[in-house]
Every structure is written in C-alpha cells, then in structure tokens.
Amino acid sequence: MRRRPLLFILALIVLVGAGAALAVVKRTPAGGSGEPVTMAQLMAVLPRGKDVPGYRAVFQRPEIGADSPGRSCGEVASALWSRDRMPLASTLVVLTPAKAGQDQHYVTSHSYARTDAQRIMQELRASVPACAHYNSYHADLYLRFGTRPAKPQFDVGDEVVSYRVLAPPAGHVDLGGSGIPLEPGPLQEPGALVTFVRTGGVITTYGGTVPKAIADDFDARLRRAPTADD
C-alpha cells in the first residue's frame, strides 16, 4: 500500500489519545447478537465505486495498528490492539473526491464483539490525560507530541470520541535526536482532528475534518451488517 500523506499519518499516529468529547446516542446497534462482524460482512455493506456521492471509494488492505497511537502513545495503543483484544476484521476505504481541490479521506473500520468495542471506547476516553504529552519516533528523531480534547465534528453512531493531535513546530527537534525527551516541548495548535465512531461492535476512525454525510453513510451501512452468528 502506498504511503499516506504525512499529515494523515501524524493525525492517526495518536488515534485516541484525547478521547475528549463523547456523545452517547441510543440507536439500534449493528447486528442483533453482539458478536463481531466478519470481514466478508463488512465488505458486503461498505461503499465501493461511486456509492458515496462525490467520491470514488476503493478498498485497501489496512496496516495492522497503523491507525492506532501504538507507535507513540502506549495507553491508547493498548486500548485498540492487544494480544487478547484484536479485531476480527479490519477494513480501509479510501474516498477520493471527484472534484479537484477537495480532501481525500481514509476511513478505517475495526470489528469487535460489542462489549469489547464499548470497553475500548471507555479506555480511549480514559487515556486522554496520559496522552497529553508523549514521545514519538520520526525520521530518526524523537519528537514530543500531544493530544487535546475536541468537540465531536458530528453526532452519529452509538458513541463518538474526538480529539486533536498536536505536533511540534516545524524545525523543532528535542535533544538533537539523541536520547528521549523527558520534558514537554512546544506544540502547535489547533492540531489534526481524529474521530472515533462506534456503531454496535464496529469502531470507525476518521482522520481530519470529514463531511457528516460520509459518517452518516458509513453508520447506516454498518447497521445493515449481520453479525458473525446471525
């Protein structure tokens, strides 16, 4: 898979840290049993081609853990990925706009048992304080990053967690790349937005500002997916 734009990678590098704002909405969860949705069931309902108006949707194979803060913030990574809690299925849909000048969107979806997905969202929110400042290794340098709470960009799904990933100013290097910075360094506001949406047992991640119509479309599609034992 080709490398994603640096800004997107930085945004997803921390995927949860900030679990700032949470909205809990009572809606019918995906599937009826609470068991995980399989890869085949995910791919059967997620968009492809011109299913999303104004975009072309293409499936790509997601890198395991690429959209988690596992490379930087351990508290967040352990919530999403651990030996005893791996998703049954993971998908990546790349939405390329039909018109030039609009943003390309990368949407990942990970399928868990519903109770596990609920627990993951709780742990993501709890990890916010621990990820306010953390070290991340980039281009042979240790840099200081951080997460900040953010108001959810849309009201969709059963739960929403949004936060911003703050990066160091351009040209800022902690300790000249030798050693690990122990003290918080300067961070640039407002940072890159990351949003998690839970639909039943599926947690979908959006990097950057995404039109609400896209999130609504994914949520509606995931609610049509049967669970593994249906």
Side-chain angles (χ1 to χ4, degrees):
M1 187 179 80
R2 65 182 179 81
R3 295 178 65 84
R4 304 176 198 170
L6 178 59
L7 179 60
F8 175 74
I9 295 176
L10 291 178
L12 294 191
I13 248 173
V14 194
L15 261 200
V16 167
L22 166 73
V24 178
V25 184
K26 294 184 178 180
R27 296 189 176 96
T28 303
S33 64
E35 292 300 312
V37 176
T38 67
M39 175 67 80
Q41 291 164 340
L42 273 180
M43 294 187 68
V45 297
L46 289 177
R48 64 187 64 211
K50 297 181 180 180
D51 286 348
V52 179
Y55 294 87
R56 179 172 179 78
V58 176
F59 276 99
Q60 292 188 10
R61 184 179 298 276
E63 299 174 22
I64 298 300
D67 66 343
S68 82
R71 301 175 183 176
S72 52
C73 182
E75 288 78 1
V76 173
S78 61
L80 291 170
W81 307 86
S82 62
R83 290 182 178 179
D84 60 348
R85 189 191 296 156
M86 292 292 289
L88 177 66
S90 297
T91 60
L92 166 62
V93 177
V94 181
L95 297 174
T96 302
K99 295 182 179 180
Q102 296 181 332
D103 292 333
Q104 189 175 49
H105 302 291
Y106 297 80
V107 184
T108 58
S109 296
H110 302 302
S111 174
Y112 304 87
R114 189 179 307 144
T115 54
D116 282 342
Q118 292 170 334
R119 189 176 303 113
I120 288 170
M121 295 294 280
Q122 293 175 351
E123 292 180 8
L124 289 177
R125 292 194 303 275
S127 70
V128 178
C131 293
H133 293 278
Y134 62 91
N135 297 317
S136 185
Y137 190 69
H138 290 284
D140 298 326
L141 299 174
Y142 278 105
L143 299 178
R144 198 74 167 172
F145 288 81
T147 57
R148 300 291 184 272
K151 180 180 180 181
Q153 57 182 312
F154 33 62
D155 177 14
V156 67
D158 299 308
E159 294 182 85
V160 182
V161 172
S162 291
Y163 62 91
R164 292 185 178 275
V165 180
L166 276 59
H172 177 79
V173 177
D174 283 312
L175 302 182
S178 60
I180 301 176
L182 302 178
E183 298 296 331
L187 297 174
Q188 293 186 106
E189 298 281 358
L193 185 65
V194 176
T195 299
F196 288 96
V197 175
R198 181 180 69 81
T199 302
V202 179
I203 296 178
T204 301
T205 307
Y206 302 91
T209 302
V210 176
K212 184 177 184 297
I214 290 179
D216 285 338
D217 181 81
F218 271 77
D219 181 62
R221 290 173 180 278
L222 290 171
R223 292 188 187 283
R224 296 199 295 268
T227 52
D229 61 354
D230 283 346

